[in-house]
Amino acid sequence: MLITSNTRFEGEFVNTRCFTTDVSELIESEAARRESEERLAATYEAATIGIAEADAQGRLLRVNDALCGMLGRSREELLTMTFFDYTDEGDREEDAALYARQLSGDLDAYILRKRAIKALFADRKAANHLGWRHFDVRTAHHEHPRIRKTMPDEVAERKHFGHWECDLIQFRKMFGKAN
């Protein structure tokens, strides 16, 4: 219960009013929302695939532990970067073009194989190509600017055997041509 009151004075005390409101449903729905957010956060962090969310400029807003490990960088360091910062220079133009199409609403999703750069040493003075990564990029329609979610997946072996082509065919069957 929520009880509020107010008092009226007109030179002297006139009256007071008390209002009682049942807020049980509000409290229960807030608890359910918090529990749902906690489960989502736990799932996000427990995922074995790297997940990042970025704003319209590509600045990383949220990353999980798996992505930090894949890129050899701390969460704090990644949150100062854009996704272009860990994308090989030769792949940036294609990624930027697809991302621009996604932001404009032309694409809800795209799949991109690109080379990602991993920091090799703790002092970050050396970097190396991590190799080919498979990025499944989707738009999260949200009240804030569109957010990019990326889920890198190791594809060095799959690329060698051509399995990524099967994934692309399956994606197109489910979602249509993305790019």
Side-chain angles (χ1 to χ4, degrees):
M1 293 297 199
L2 176 65
I3 301 173
T4 58
S5 67
N6 64 12
T7 304
R8 194 171 110 198
F9 284 94
E10 293 176 5
E12 62 183 56
F13 175 80
V14 175
N15 65 6
T16 187
R17 294 181 185 160
C18 290
F19 302 93
T20 305
T21 308
D22 184 357
V23 292
S24 303
E25 287 183 25
L26 177 63
I27 292 171
E28 289 171 7
S29 70
E30 275 298 308
R33 182 190 58 78
R34 268 193 311 279
E35 183 181 320
S36 175
E37 287 176 356
E38 289 169 3
R39 278 194 319 268
L40 178 62
T43 301
Y44 189 93
E45 286 306 319
T48 58
I49 59 172
I51 302 173
E53 297 176 13
D55 64 12
Q57 291 73 43
R59 187 182 61 233
L60 299 176
L61 302 172
R62 184 176 178 189
V63 297
N64 70 350
D65 290 340
L67 184 69
C68 295
M70 288 176 188
L71 297 176
R73 299 176 190 276
S74 70
R75 181 181 316 272
E76 293 74 24
E77 183 180 6
L78 284 172
L79 294 177
T80 66
M81 301 170 67
T82 69
F83 62 86
F84 292 115
D85 295 332
Y86 64 77
T87 300
D88 181 76
E89 205 172 302
D91 298 324
R92 289 180 189 160
E93 187 175 327
E94 180 183 12
D95 199 4
L98 289 168
Y99 193 55
R101 287 184 59 203
Q102 186 180 37
L103 289 174
S104 72
D106 288 346
L107 297 175
D108 274 338
Y110 65 90
I111 294 176
L112 177 68
R113 282 182 314 145
K114 68 178 184 178
R115 291 161 291 188
I117 301 169
K118 178 178 183 174
L120 291 179
F121 304 109
D123 63 8
R124 306 293 184 247
K125 290 183 180 174
N128 191 16
H129 291 286
L130 181 59
W132 290 96
R133 306 301 277 184
H134 177 96
F135 286 78
D136 181 349
V137 184
R138 300 185 182 273
T139 302
H141 299 283
H142 196 268
E143 64 191 57
H144 300 292
R146 288 183 164 194
I147 296 174
R148 165 194 175 123
K149 292 187 178 184
T150 61
M151 296 172 216
D153 180 5
E154 184 63 59
V155 293
E157 293 294 320
R158 296 167 77 195
K159 181 177 180 236
H160 177 72
F161 291 108
H163 290 232
W164 67 270
E165 291 169 309
C166 294
D167 291 349
L168 183 58
I169 290 167
Q170 291 300 318
F171 177 86
R172 286 183 175 157
K173 282 181 182 176
M174 290 172 58
F175 302 104
K177 188 172 181 182
N179 52 356

